[in-house]
Amino acid sequence: MERWNELENRCRACQRCALADTRTNVVFDAGRRDAQIMFVGEGPGENEDLQGKPFVGRGGQLLDEMLSLIGLDRERNLYIANIVKCRPPQNRDPLNTEQDACIGYLEEQVALVKPKVIVCLGRIAAMRLIKGNFRITREHGQWFERDGVWITAIYHPAALLRDPSKRPETFADLREIRAKLKQVCTEGYI
Ligand code: URA
């Protein structure tokens, strides 16, 4: 609790990059801090910046629908955070320098949550957490193991809103995620 408060306060006061100048709110996290599964997005959009919570816009609504397809609920069994905690202007991709400045917060979040499974939402998160040359069109749904944590990536909800033809592949990925959770999570967790 103490460590969470200290981390969150430090992050909320952060001035490590220029995104601090244009943010309305730092978007720190949502969900359970003792979750066994963590979802990681790229960075806040306009609604998230205004409300201070991750995935609250149309993409967030789609994410909740995707989660419910596999029996997950963001308050009940997930933790959600982003690679960068402040909104990039015009929703551009976060720059590498901005990601570098911010990634330490996510690393501390992961160390405190200790998830068994991490799901990257989209290319930016996958390139940061899985490998720099990650190709989302080819490698979504594949599993990578890092220090005993299983990591995979699926299309970002915003990509699914733009291109609904990607939804069946994502549904297949979600079913695989459900199977992985059944293998690795504590009995009764999902
Ligand atoms: N997109 C993201 O990647 N993260 C959010 O929190 C919202 C939209």
Side-chain angles (χ1 to χ4, degrees):
M1 190 67 181
E2 181 75 6
R3 284 186 63 195
W4 274 111
N5 288 341
E6 187 276 323
L7 173 61
E8 184 168 358
N9 291 339
R10 197 159 22 93
C11 187
R12 291 198 180 283
C14 184
Q15 296 286 338
R16 284 190 202 164
C17 82
L19 297 182
D21 302 338
T22 49
R23 73 181 175 224
T24 313
N25 284 295
V26 169
V27 176
F28 184 69
D29 68 358
R32 282 181 64 156
R33 291 177 171 179
D34 62 347
Q36 296 184 20
I37 172 165
M38 180 159 172
F39 279 71
V40 179
E42 100 185 34
E46 184 179 15
N47 292 300
E48 291 76 19
D49 175 61
L50 291 173
Q51 296 184 41
K53 288 214 165 303
F55 288 101
V56 289
R58 269 181 78 212
Q61 201 183 333
L62 179 58
L63 177 62
D64 286 338
E65 286 165 21
M66 287 155 56
L67 294 172
S68 76
L69 287 174
I70 54 167
L72 296 176
D73 173 90
R74 71 162 87 183
E75 300 303 327
R76 195 157 44 82
N77 31 32
L78 299 188
Y79 183 75
I80 307 182
N82 283 307
I83 299 286
V84 298
K85 309 294 194 251
C86 298
R87 182 192 180 198
Q90 279 84 48
N91 298 342
R92 62 161 169 74
D93 289 349
L95 305 175
N96 278 332
T97 49
E98 293 160 352
Q99 296 183 34
D100 291 345
C102 210
I103 196 73
Y105 296 120
L106 184 69
E107 286 166 359
E108 289 188 65
Q109 288 170 305
V110 172
L112 288 172
V113 175
K114 300 189 200 71
K116 295 179 191 290
V117 171
I118 297 177
V119 179
C120 301
L121 293 167
R123 176 180 68 88
I124 299 279
M127 286 172 67
R128 249 311 145 158
L129 300 186
I130 299 176
K131 54 181 179 171
N133 61 353
F134 191 88
R135 298 290 302 270
I136 190 81
T137 44
R138 268 195 235 144
E139 295 177 288
H140 67 84
Q142 292 184 19
W143 289 99
F144 301 80
E145 202 207 326
R146 295 280 154 76
D147 305 324
V149 181
W150 289 97
I151 312 187
T152 190
I154 61 176
Y155 284 114
H156 193 284
L160 299 174
L161 286 172
R162 276 195 305 271
D163 181 0
S165 73
K166 293 187 163 80
R167 289 188 190 199
E169 289 169 80
T170 303
F171 187 44
D173 292 345
L174 288 167
R175 279 200 302 256
E176 293 299 322
I177 290 169
R178 168 115 197 142
K180 180 64 82 182
L181 294 175
K182 279 211 166 290
Q183 271 170 27
V184 303
C185 290
T186 311
E187 177 128 16
Y189 182 74
I190 55 161

